[in-house]
Structure formats: C-alpha cells, structure tokens
Amino acid sequence: MDNALPPADELVLVDRELARLDARRSQLLTRRAWLLHVLRAAEAFPAPPRAAAAGPVGDSTPRSAQNVLLTLGGVLLTIAALAFTLVSWGSMGIGGRAAVLAVVTSAALVVPVVLLRRGLGSTAEAVAALGLVLMVLDAYALHRVALADTDGAAFAAVASAVLAGAWTAYGAALGRLRIPLPAAVVTAQLPLPLAVLAADGGPLALGWAALATAALDLAVVLRAKPAAVRVTAAVGAGVLGAWALLAGGGLSLSSPVPAGALLVAGSAVALAVAWRAPRAAVATSVVAGLAAVAAAGGVLRPVLPGDWEVPGYVLCAVALAGALRSAAPRGVRTGLAGAGSGVLALGVLWALPPVAAALLGPLARTAPVWSGAHADRVLAWYPSTAPVVLLVAAAAFAALPRLWSRCAALFLAWAALTALPLSLELPYGTTLILQLVTTTAALALAFRPAPLTRGLPAPARGAARPDGEAAGATTPTSGDAEPAGERPDAVGPEVPWPGWGPVRPVAVPAAVPPGEVLGWSAFGCGLASALSAVAVALDTRGATFGALGVLLGLFVAGAFLSEGARRAVAACAAVVVATGLVSAGSAAAELPAPETALALLLVPTATALLGARLRRHPLAPPVELTGAAVALLAVTTAAASRPAVLALVLALVGVIAAGTAVRPERRPLASWIAGALFLLATWVRLAAWDVTTPEAYTLPVTVPALVVGALRRRRDPEASSWVAYGPGLAATLVPSLFAAWADPDWPRPLLLGVAALVVTLLGARFRLQALLVLGGTVLALDGLHELAPYVVQAVGALPRWLPPALAGLLLLAVGATYEQRLRDARRLRDRLGRMR
C-alpha cells in the first residue's frame, strides 16, 4: 500500500479521525437516550381526555380568565370580611361575634377539602386564601375583645407563631394547595423579632433573633420539598440574615465582642449551608468570609492605633484568603478566598490615594524650574500605614502561582514604594533617592524578569484550540477551505488524505511567555517612576542632572540586558533622557535658543553614528527614529529665533541625513530627506537675505544637477526620472514659483510659465514622469496666479445666483459621467505609472 505520508504521521491522523467518530457516536447515543426518556414519560402520563360538553368542567388545569375571576372573588370576600370585622363588629354581642367568625372561618377552611375532591383546584385555592385571611382577622378580634390589655407586640409574636403552626398543619394535610405552606413560612419570620421588640431587647438581641429565624429558614430550604416553600424560605433567610449581619457589622464598631459573637454565629450558619448545598457554596461562603473578617477586625480594632485599623482588617482578609490551601470543598474554598480578596481589594483602594498623589503631584508644578521650591503636598493628611496595606497585599498575591497574581503583586509592591515618601513625609532628598531606587528596581525586573516567573507553570507550546485538540498539533484542513497561498498559518506542502482532499499541517501560534507579561508590567511601573522622579528633580539644578544621569545609565543598561521590544523601548528612552541632559546643560549654561537648537543636534548626530555602527541590528531603526524626532525638536527651537539660524540648523540636519544616506539600507529614504532639507535651508537663507531674484542662486545648482542626472540616466536607463532630474528641477522651479506669487509684475511669471511649459513638453515627449508632473504643476499654479484677478473680477460682475448654478451643473455633469471620468483618471494614472 502506497502512503503519501510517513507511517507515523498517517497513524496520528487515523487515530484523530477515529476519536472524532467516537465522539460523534457518543453524542448520538446521548440524544437517543433522551428521546426514549421523553417518549416513555409521555406514555406513563398521558394527557387527560377532554370532558364532554354537557358534563362539569374541572378547574385543575389553570386558565387565565378563570384564575382572574377567582382572584377577584377572593379579594372581594376578603374586603367584605375586613369591613364586617372593623365596622359592623360593635353592633353584635360577644356570642354573636364568636359564632359568626367561627362559622365563617370553619367554612372557609373546610370547603377547600370538598372542592379538591371534585377536582376544583383553583376554586379551592381561592377559598383557602380567604380562610387564611379570616384566621388573621380572628386573631385581631381576639386581641380587641378578650386580650385588649395584652402588649401588642407580644400578642403579635404569639399569634404569628400559632398561625404559622396552624397553616403548616393545614397545608401538610391538604398537600394539593399551594398557598398555605408558603404563607406559613412568611408568617414564621415574625415571632422571634416581635418577641424581642416586646421585651425591649435592643439592636443586638434583634440581630440574634433575625439570625435564628434565618437559620430556621435555611433548615427549611435544605429539607422541604415544594419549590415554593424553598424559594420563600430562601428569600426570608437572605433578608433576615443580611439584616443580622449588617447589624452585627455596624455594632462591631462600638461593641466589638458581642457583635463579633453574632457575626461569628452568622458565619458558622453560612458555612454550614455552604457545606450542605454545593450549588450555593460560593455565595454563602462569601457571606461567611465577610462576616468572619468583620468579626475579627472588630475585635482587633480597639487594641490597634487609629492608623492601623484598616491594616488590621487587611491582615484578617489575608488569613481568610489562605483558605485556598485548606481541605474544604472547592466551592467553600473559592467563596472564602473571594471574600478575603474582596476585603483586600477594598484595603488597596483605601491605600491608593498616596500613590496617585506621589506620582502626579510633582507634575502639577507652579514654581519655576530650579527655583528650589518644592511641590506642595496634594494630600493634607493620610495614614502612614497605606504602604503597609499595599505590601501585605503584594505578599498575598505573590504567594499565588498565577500570572495575573504576580502582575498584581508587582504593581502593589511598586505602589507601596511610591507612596512611602508621601505617607512618611520624608524630606526632599530622601524622596528623590527613594524614587530613583524604585525606578531602578522596577527596570531591573523589567530587563531580567526571571525571578518573577519562579513557581509559575511552564507556558504551553501553543494556544488552546476550540475543538479541544492539543496546542501545537497539526490539523487536517479540507482542500476547498483556502488555497495554500492564502493561508498565512499553513506550513509544509499539501498531502493527499482519503476522503478529505488535499491536507496541509497547520501551525498553532505559541502562547505568550509569562516573562513577557511580567517584564512589560515592571517596565510600565519603571517608566511611571522615572517620569515622576524627573518631575521631582526639576526643583534643583543638581538633582536634575543627577536624576537624568542615573536614568540614562539605567536605560542604556536596559538596551544591553533586555530582549525583544523592551530593548528597543529602553534604547529610545535612553535617547530621550540624553536629550533632556543636553537641554538641561544648555539651560545651565544660559544658552539662548539658537545655541540650544545647535546643541540639540548632538543627539541626532550620535544616533546616526550609532545606527551606522549597528547597521541592520533591530535596535538601529528605533534609535534613529528617536534621533530624527529630536532633530525635529531642534528645528522647531530654531524656528523661534532668526531665519539665518533656522537655515543653519536645516542644513546641519541635512548633513546628518546625507551621512545616513551613505548606508545602502537607508539610502532610498534618507537621500530624499537630505535633498529636501538642503532645499529648505537654501530657501530660508535666501529669504533671510531678502533675495528677490532666487534664480541667480538656484540656477547654478540646477544646471550641474541636471547634467549629473543625465549622466546617471545614460549609465542606468532604468533609473527613475525623480532621482535623476527631480532635485535639480525643484531647486529652481519651487523658489521661483514662490517668488512669482509675490511678484506684482509680469516678466517673472511669464518666464516661469515658459520654462514650466518647456519642462512639461519635454516630459511628455520623452515620457519622463518627474518633468511632466513638476512642470505641469508649476505651469498650472503660475497660470492660476495670473488669471486669479480676472476671475475674481468676472465673478464679481456676474449675478450672485450664477456661480452656484454653474457649480451645480458641473457637479451634475461629473456625476452623470462618473464612470467615464473614473476610467479616464485610471488611464491617466496608468500612463504616469509607465513613465520613468
């Protein structure tokens, strides 16, 4: 048998296909079992037959209209009973009152039994609801007539307990009724809180009563079967439990030990539920954890100084987060750890304001640079323990073997060091030194993030695939999916596979290494600290030079020690810091703007020399681009001074670009930049000299440039006309065009137009793109300058409505022939593209 693949590779493909077939078979078998279950259930419980038209119709099946009528009837009867009890009660004697209530209540409770036997379930529900309301009215009447001197809260507590028990027995006896048992659960929420109110127990006793009731509700939730009962009990447990725990949390600030006992009891109840109910384990464990932290922190609070109250709660939260290493069920561990993490997050938020103030405060400078005046404190006062909270949180996150936790630990440790000077009110020198130390530590970890990755799992070879296959594996793809040339992730040649068509292995991209994520996190922290340190150092001259020198050394070291993109960013940052040193040196020497611009050119000169040394090294492009940005800064600085200085700076930048163009890999771009800079320098110099005849200076440059271009084209016929003739023509045509636009006389525009026409015709004759484009553009602009006064005069003589009308007609004509104009434009573009 001929194999297109090696036997080992084909065996892998065969095994994978068999696994897919097995998975599909398992899916179909599961679906078949479900369908059989549905059919058997339909046979075991057939739909009830329709009753005859003349027979009685049961109401066991709910009907919307019928339920509305029964509900309205029950409401009306309830209103009538209330009116009778409250209004007409006084006109009857004690015997009549008792007889009426006993008869009506008994009837309302007995009638549902008869109705259920006849299959009238909805009617029985309505009458039973009326009976429950009548029992409440009976209790009210009993208090008004026989027990009027009894305390209302105490009587209500007893009555609610009796009613809850009676309704529970009634609902259990008539199991088909859905109202009595949930009503009993609702009523059972009242006895203990009402009893505490009757005994003037206070907030703590009321919290205990609520907690005890919530515990009973949770027992009902765990043991009861009807869903309505469980839901009602769960709602009651949630409301009363939250009330008890909130009350305990508030009281822990004033009475920590008694309130702590309440919170611990609530935590124990929640943990018991979490252990028994896995589905609610996470939520209830979170509640238990928060209660435990509140209890422990409340007990520690009186014995700690004021600044250490929040750290006390944070330490309790860290201890609770250690539940991840316990032997508890997974949901319990997750919930407790989540509660601890939540409290820890709140503590971190409490500790972040000094970090923001330390970073952003020096940037809001109001005093002049090097004035010796330090920035005012943004925060008038803040606890000195904020860095402690951040360090504790950093240690807690660092203990977790997760990438995100290590990143969080890194950020928190950096934030603690950043906030330390402001929290401890350290002097200026110590503050600057500590910020530089923080910057050094962060950048050291960014350049060599290996210590941060210890304990982390090794990165996978490839990202997880949606179909569950191993990362880095090769997957057969159908031959009609995408051609080989259109799949960037295809590797290797196509191979035949029976039933699939051509198959090619597909490479899955590898996961991002943890070191990269941690390195960039540390690098961001280091850059933020560096910026803040420079802002602080601007208060004094010596501090500025010292901070910039330290940062320059750090970033240069990073350019040598780090890898990948961080290395390039470090190199660019080193160039920026060097620029700051040059600017600071110029300011210290009290150099004016022209000399400062010339001094700034030292930076792009150095980057150009370094780029020539690095050549094709990956660091060369970012370093040279940063140097080019500094050169632009120098040009901007020179533009604010005399034109002669600007011309000199432009020429020097052109020299740097020309030196860069000597390198073959930079020649295509740097040569054009150098030519443009030299032309700009020439035009600025001519403008500075108030030259009115620029052709006397540009033609001597244009003629030899055109001769050199002609020789280049003769030696290399494939050379572009832009390279050969473009610089020479632009050296004269562009300055002359500017001069013509500012010249009120006619000879210069005429001569320029004739010259541009000759250049345009030569370009069309010899199919030279540079001559055609430059000559045509200059000719059109020169003609527009000459015709502009007459056009303005003609437009002014026309009616005001005519120019808009002509413009509208032009747009209509262009729109009607849009496709033709588009084809003409494409044809013109193609013709220009074919020119040299």
Side-chain angles (χ1 to χ4, degrees), residues 661-766:
V662 174
R663 297 158 52 191
E665 67 274 10
R666 299 286 186 264
R667 185 172 301 156
L669 180 62
S671 59
W672 282 100
I673 294 177
L677 288 172
F678 285 137
L679 286 177
L680 284 175
T682 303
W683 299 340
V684 172
R685 174 59 68 180
L686 293 178
W689 286 342
D690 294 329
V691 173
T692 58
T693 309
E695 292 81 5
Y697 299 90
T698 58
L699 282 175
V701 177
T702 296
V703 172
L706 293 178
V707 171
V708 172
L711 295 176
R712 169 75 184 276
R713 289 272 297 177
R714 179 176 297 178
R715 203 168 50 247
D716 182 14
E718 298 298 324
S720 172
S721 61
W722 288 101
V723 176
Y725 306 118
L729 290 174
T732 294
L733 291 179
V734 176
S736 298
L737 180 63
F738 282 104
W741 271 73
D743 193 347
D745 297 328
W746 59 271
R748 183 191 301 276
L750 177 61
L751 293 175
L752 178 62
V754 171
L757 178 61
V758 171
V759 171
T760 304
L761 294 176
L762 289 175
R765 171 66 180 79
F766 295 102

Side-chain angles (χ1 to χ4, degrees), residues 416-421 426 429-440:
L417 292 176
T418 303
L420 194 60
L426 298 178
T430 307
T431 298
L432 180 58
I433 292 174
L434 188 57
Q435 285 195 337
L436 290 176
V437 169
T438 304
T439 305
T440 303

Side-chain angles (χ1 to χ4, degrees), residues 400-511:
L400 298 177
R402 295 289 185 273
L403 179 59
W404 65 268
S405 64
R406 296 294 173 86
C407 293
L410 174 64
F411 170 77
L412 292 171
W414 166 81
L417 292 176
T418 303
L420 194 60
L422 185 63
S423 299
L424 299 181
E425 299 185 4
L426 298 178
Y428 173 76
T430 307
T431 298
L432 180 58
I433 292 174
L434 188 57
Q435 285 195 337
L436 290 176
V437 169
T438 304
T439 305
T440 303
L443 292 179
L445 290 175
F447 300 147
R448 289 295 181 184
L452 296 173
T453 59
R454 292 174 184 171
L456 293 179
R461 292 182 58 192
R465 298 182 63 90
D467 55 0
E469 293 182 6
T474 57
T475 305
T477 56
S478 176
D480 57 356
E482 290 182 18
E486 299 178 5
R487 287 183 58 90
D489 56 347
V491 293
E494 296 183 356
V495 293
W497 176 255
W500 286 80
V503 174
R504 69 182 61 85
V506 177
V508 180

Side-chain angles (χ1 to χ4, degrees), residues 756-804:
L757 178 61
V758 171
V759 171
T760 304
L761 294 176
L762 289 175
R765 171 66 180 79
F766 295 102
R767 302 178 61 81
L768 299 176
Q769 190 180 98
L771 276 66
L772 184 62
V773 173
L774 282 174
T777 303
V778 172
L779 181 61
L781 293 176
D782 185 65
L784 179 63
H785 171 264
E786 294 303 308
L787 293 177
Y790 303 102
V791 172
V792 171
Q793 183 178 1
V795 171
L798 294 174
R800 293 184 178 272
W801 56 267
L802 188 58

